[in-house]
Amino acid sequence: MNTPRQIDGVDVLVEGEGTHAIVMVHGWPDTYRLWDDQVEFLKARYRCIRFTLPGFDIARPRQAHSLDALVATLKCVIETTCPGEKVTLMLHDWGCLFGYQFAMRHPSLVERIVGVDIGDAGSPAHARSMSAKAKAMVFGYQLWLAIAWRIGGRIGERMTRAMARALRCPSDPQFIGSNMCYPYYIRWFGAHGSYRRL
């Protein structure tokens, strides 16, 4: 793995020698490590660019980041690592929401999008198609994680890791913390600019 470059406050890894870049944006409860296998497979043909979303790195101070701030970070990473290029966005979970918003605001920088485990992004059509039980499950786990963010500390950490286990998330528990639950807090409590204007 290459040595990370610091761009807009995040450590960015650029791996591979291809002429086209794939920018990989993870979701909850992940870090840049989510993409290890994909990078190994793709780096012979593509430049793979990945980073841990601001606020998701448990080694850094706990801080929520607004949608506008996350889109600005993604823009800075892409313009710094791929000047003058259109990129492929490979997105997962919350990374889909952030990446789709980026693509809508900066279409001249995006060639294509690959979405993985895309969630519903609050779509009314998707909500209508869900059973009452499914809606309750989504509400329950998301509210749990929003509260884990709000509480923080050891209790928030335990709550977050317990939910990751219950949902059978494959991420390494040593990298999972309540700090990465802030998107749920923003979604349900309207904090930090909320996501209502999506």
Side-chain angles (χ1 to χ4, degrees), residues 31-97:
T31 66
Y32 73 87
R33 295 167 186 87
L34 171 71
W35 306 111
D36 286 348
D37 292 340
Q38 288 77 16
V39 169
E40 196 56 40
F41 181 77
L42 295 168
K43 71 181 181 181
R45 292 174 291 164
Y46 299 94
R47 282 186 345 273
C48 300
I49 299 160
R50 58 189 173 141
F51 58 95
T52 297
L53 283 167
F56 276 58
D57 188 340
I58 62 171
R60 300 210 175 189
R62 179 181 150 88
Q63 180 183 356
H65 296 265
S66 70
L67 176 63
D68 290 343
L70 290 168
V71 168
T73 294
L74 189 50
K75 184 174 188 274
C76 189
V77 167
I78 289 171
E79 288 181 337
T80 302
T81 59
C82 310
E85 292 180 51
K86 283 188 160 194
V87 302
T88 295
L89 294 176
M90 185 176 286
L91 311 170
H92 166 255
D93 188 65
W94 278 108
C96 290
L97 184 136

